[in-house]
Every structure is written in structure tokens, then in C-alpha cells.
Amino acid sequence: MVKTRAQSIKRMSVVDALCIRSQISVKSTRYCKTVSKHLAKLQLAESGKNSSLVVCPAMGKTMKLYSMDARRCKLSLLSTIDPSQRSPEEFMYMISSYNGIICCVNMIYDEDVENKFCDLQIWICNPCTRETLLLPQGTPSFEFEPSIGVAYGSDVSDYRIFRIFCTGKIIPEERGPAEGYYFQEGRYFTKYSHVLAYECEVYSSSTGSWKNIGTVPCVPMSCGLRPFRRTGHIFVDGKVYWLVSLDGPGKILSVDLEGRFEVINLPAYPDGLREEEKITEASHLVNLKGSLGLLVIQLDNMDLWVWKYDGQKYSWDIELSDDVPIKDDELILAVTALDNKIICVNDTHWRIYDMETKKWKRRRAPRTGFTNPAMFPFTESVLPCNGGVKQ
């Protein structure tokens, strides 16, 4: 009996069908309403074979994203994102990338100049499918720009947004630094500043809502190199990490997927060194092949530290120390790691360090240069922004 074409197609295994489908261009699935979880995993595995970066060279009224091969430093336009729900006149800024999904933020414009609360719009975007999702607003933050960190679960469709904000409430049992004196009943007393409470809430793609998880032990540091100063973070091995302080001993704040916070000291340098030979302001957290890394750029030198587990406890080990061609007056605007390379950018050039050959390469930036640049490892994906992947 001769099989009809319909019978042949019916007998094709699901795996074979998915394998064929996974080779279709990501952009060709742009108008698909639902995506199979198996297809999403297969497509991610296929796209992951070609390492690349997603780069936003400059903030603008529309966010132009480019893909880049780190070997050639050539940008190719990936997508332009300009959602209609964006707060007017406010620029979007990319703060994370994982499995082809990026997270962006922009300030919410408020005409009431007396309003002491501030907030960010938080977006989940897929540059390849051009889908965007505006998350619901969190709790208003009192005179404090919220700090954002993005985490991703073991399921390809699971992500969580951690948002640290100031409640505006005074903690009565704590006092801040001295800020002057006051005279009362014939005596002078020290006047201390009050301490405000900071809390964290988490948005889950599985629930589509925010949940308060309580107070935080400390808040991420403000970085003047970013337009949104407390959004710098990395996600490594199930945890989000923020720099808290670079002053000795220096601290890192982390939170896991269950909302448990931990404070880690930065690596300690031996006594007797000059300040420029220790932790410097040019220190950056990096995801180093799935491990927490700290890149410390010093005068004519750099140290790369890795947070390692020896079977009993975690500690900092120095992975490498090498010369750097970066000049003292050269301001590094962004840093990331991809495979065996560490990529840095200033306002006019790329600086790329190969950890295998221990050599630096210098490449010119785009003709327009870099202005508030953002760059992250990137994999093309068909994942929907709401996490709603079908089983």
C-alpha cells in the first residue's frame, strides 16, 4: 500500500518536526501566538552555538539594538524598540540579557515637582520578535531611584525582577551619621540623621505580579557611569549580585531565587600597597563562565578575581593578573565577558582581552561613539516576554 503524503507527515516524530522547526529563522516566528517549550529549548541550543553580544551604543528616543561578533567588532542592526506605552521624553536603557530576552528601564516622568516619590518603568523585550511587555508598577520609592536586578529560573520561561526601594519610613532604633549639633537645657547635643527603611519586592513571570519580601541588609551603590545609577548587576548561578561599596573592605549584595539576601566582602589586598594597587573605582562584576567574577582595573594593571567554592566554603581566588593598555584618564563605560574574552568600552573604542592568549585588541567604536552604552551576551530566541511558553 502506497502511503499518502498526509500519512507520511503524521508518522513523523515530534522530535524530528521540532528539529526542522528549530532551524527556521527566529524572525519568521514573530507572529506566532504560542511557542512550544521544546521548540524554545531546541532553538536556544541552536542559537547558542554562535556567541554574540547585544549592544546599545547610545541612548536615544528610540532604542537601537545591534548584534556583534566579539571577534570582528562589527555591529549589525538587530532591532529598534520604541513602545507606545513608554513614558514621554524618557529614554530606555538596557540592564540585562538572558535567553534572548532583555530587560530595559526608563524613568517615569512626573509633572508634580513636589512629589518626592520616584519610579522606573520596567520592560521585558525580545529584540528578535520585537515583542515588548511593560511590567505593572511597583511600590513608589521615596527620594530613591529603585535598584533593579533580574534573575532567571531553571525553566526557560521563568524570570524574576528584584526591585529595591525606599519606603520613606524612619527606623527608630537606628541612627545615621552625625549632621550637626543642637542646644537644649543648657547643653549641646549631637544631632544625628535618621535612617530610612529599604525593602525589596519581586515580580515573577509565573504570577505576573509583585510580592514584597521584606527589608534588605544594605542597598546597591550608585554608579555615575550609568544613567540609572543603581541598575548595574549581574546574574550568576541562580543569584543576582550588586556592588554595594568599593571602600575597604568593600561589599557585594546578593539575592537568590527564593529571596534570601547575603552580603559578601570584596577580596582583600595585602597591607602596604598604594590605594591605586587595590580595589579601585574601575571595578566591575562579570559573569565569568558561570562564576561570579570581579575585574579590578588599576594603573597599568588588572586583576581578575573569581568567587570559588572549595568544598567547604566560598572564597576569592585571583584568576589572573596582567598589564592593561588602558590609560589612567581613559574612562571605561561598560564591561562584560563572553566566552574567553573580556570586553570593555570607552567613549571611542572597544578594548578586548583574550584570556587564553593574554593579549589585548583595540577597535574603533561606531562613528557616533558611545553614550551611556550597554552590552550583554546574547542568544537569539523565540521566547515570549510574559514567560507563557506552552508545555
Side-chain angles (χ1 to χ4, degrees):
M1 177 179 177
V2 179
K3 297 179 183 179
T4 66
R5 183 182 180 189
Q7 288 175 318
S8 298
I9 294 176
K10 185 177 181 179
R11 292 176 182 271
M12 180 183 293
S13 72
V14 174
V15 173
D16 289 340
L18 289 173
C19 286
I20 293 172
R21 181 82 180 275
S22 67
Q23 296 176 25
I24 299 175
S25 167
V26 173
K27 293 182 180 180
S28 67
T29 65
R30 181 178 302 164
Y31 303 105
C32 294
K33 294 183 178 180
T34 58
V35 179
S36 161
K37 184 174 293 187
H38 296 289
L39 169 60
K41 289 181 177 179
L42 284 169
Q43 185 275 316
L44 277 172
E46 187 67 24
S47 297
K49 294 177 182 179
N50 301 313
S51 300
S52 65
L53 296 172
V54 57
V55 181
C56 182
M59 289 180 63
K61 288 187 176 181
T62 59
M63 188 169 69
K64 292 187 176 181
L65 297 174
Y66 298 82
S67 61
M68 190 191 85
D69 184 332
R71 292 171 296 182
R72 295 191 292 269
C73 292
K74 290 186 177 181
L75 298 178
S76 175
L77 184 62
L78 177 65
S79 184
T80 299
I81 297 178
D82 184 23
S84 58
Q85 294 170 286
R86 177 171 53 85
S87 185
E89 304 304 322
E90 297 294 336
F91 296 168
M92 296 176 70
Y93 181 67
M94 180 171 56
I95 64 170
S96 77
S97 165
Y98 193 84
N99 280 348
I101 298 295
I102 66 171
C103 181
C104 306
V105 297
N106 63 267
M107 187 65 71
I108 293 179
Y109 179 71
D110 192 341
E111 294 182 352
D112 183 4
V113 295
E114 300 297 327
N115 187 0
K116 294 185 177 182
F117 289 89
C118 60
D119 203 357
L120 302 173
Q121 284 188 320
I122 304 175
W123 299 85
I124 301 297
C125 309
N126 186 323
C128 293
T129 64
R130 297 182 185 174
E131 181 189 6
T132 61
L133 173 68
L134 175 62
L135 301 191
Q137 294 303 131
T139 304
S141 183
F142 181 77
E143 294 186 338
F144 177 85
E145 184 180 290
S147 179
I148 309 297
V150 189
Y152 302 87
S154 57
D155 191 299
V156 293
S157 60
D158 180 33
Y159 62 81
R160 297 170 202 188
I161 314 292
F162 291 90
R163 179 180 176 276
I164 298 174
F165 64 98
C166 180
T167 65
K169 300 176 183 178
I170 296 175
I171 305 176
E173 62 272 18
E174 294 188 26
R175 67 184 186 186
E179 59 178 16
Y181 300 91
Y182 66 94
F183 186 78
Q184 182 176 328
E185 297 180 354
R187 296 176 57 190
Y188 283 98
F189 294 88
T190 303
K191 181 181 179 182
Y192 293 95
S193 61
H194 54 258
V195 175
L196 297 177
Y198 293 84
E199 296 181 356
C200 182
E201 55 190 6
V202 59
Y203 174 92
S204 171
S205 61
S206 61
T207 64
S209 61
W210 293 98
K211 177 184 177 182
N212 191 300
I213 57 175
T215 59
V216 294
C218 52
V219 297
M221 63 181 286
S222 175
C223 176
L225 296 179
R226 297 184 181 92
F228 301 95
R229 299 189 173 192
R230 300 182 192 272
T231 57
H233 70 282
I234 62 168
F235 173 73
V236 184
D237 194 24
K239 291 185 177 182
V240 175
Y241 295 90
W242 298 269
L243 278 171
V244 171
S245 171
L246 297 176
D247 297 328
K251 294 179 180 179
I252 294 171
L253 176 67
S254 74
V255 63
D256 64 16
L257 293 171
E258 303 304 317
R260 295 180 292 242
F261 287 93
E262 181 183 6
V263 178
I264 304 169
N265 286 336
L266 294 182
Y269 280 84
D271 296 334
L273 295 178
R274 295 175 298 172
E275 289 302 314
E276 60 267 25
E277 296 174 324
K278 301 179 183 180
I279 301 293
T280 68
E281 292 185 359
S283 297
H284 305 266
L285 296 178
V286 291
N287 184 338
L288 199 64
K289 300 179 181 179
S291 296
L292 172 63
L294 177 72
L295 176 67
V296 181
I297 301 176
Q298 303 158 338
L299 185 63
D300 301 325
N301 187 75
M302 74 170 182
D303 293 331
L304 183 60
W305 297 84
V306 180
W307 186 242
K308 290 185 177 180
Y309 185 66
D310 62 7
Q312 295 182 339
K313 61 181 179 64
Y314 278 94
S315 62
W316 289 105
D317 283 347
I318 192 159
E319 185 78 4
L320 62 86
S321 183
D322 205 349
D323 296 336
V324 292
I326 299 174
K327 300 177 182 178
D328 186 38
D329 60 350
E330 187 175 331
L331 189 62
I332 298 300
L333 302 176
V335 173
T336 193
L338 178 65
D339 298 332
N340 293 315
K341 294 179 174 59
I342 296 174
I343 302 105
C344 309
V345 295
N346 59 24
D347 56 352
T348 59
H349 286 84
W350 301 90
R351 297 279 195 178
I352 301 175
Y353 181 78
D354 191 312
M355 289 183 282
E356 289 186 347
T357 64
K358 292 183 169 48
K359 292 183 178 180
W360 284 91
K361 290 183 180 179
R362 183 171 180 261
R363 297 287 186 270
R364 285 202 62 82
R367 185 175 56 182
T368 54
F370 289 111
T371 306
N372 295 321
M375 59 179 180
F376 298 95
F378 182 72
T379 302
E380 289 191 350
S381 165
V382 295
L383 290 175
C385 293
N386 63 1
V389 177
K390 291 182 65 178
Q391 298 290 336

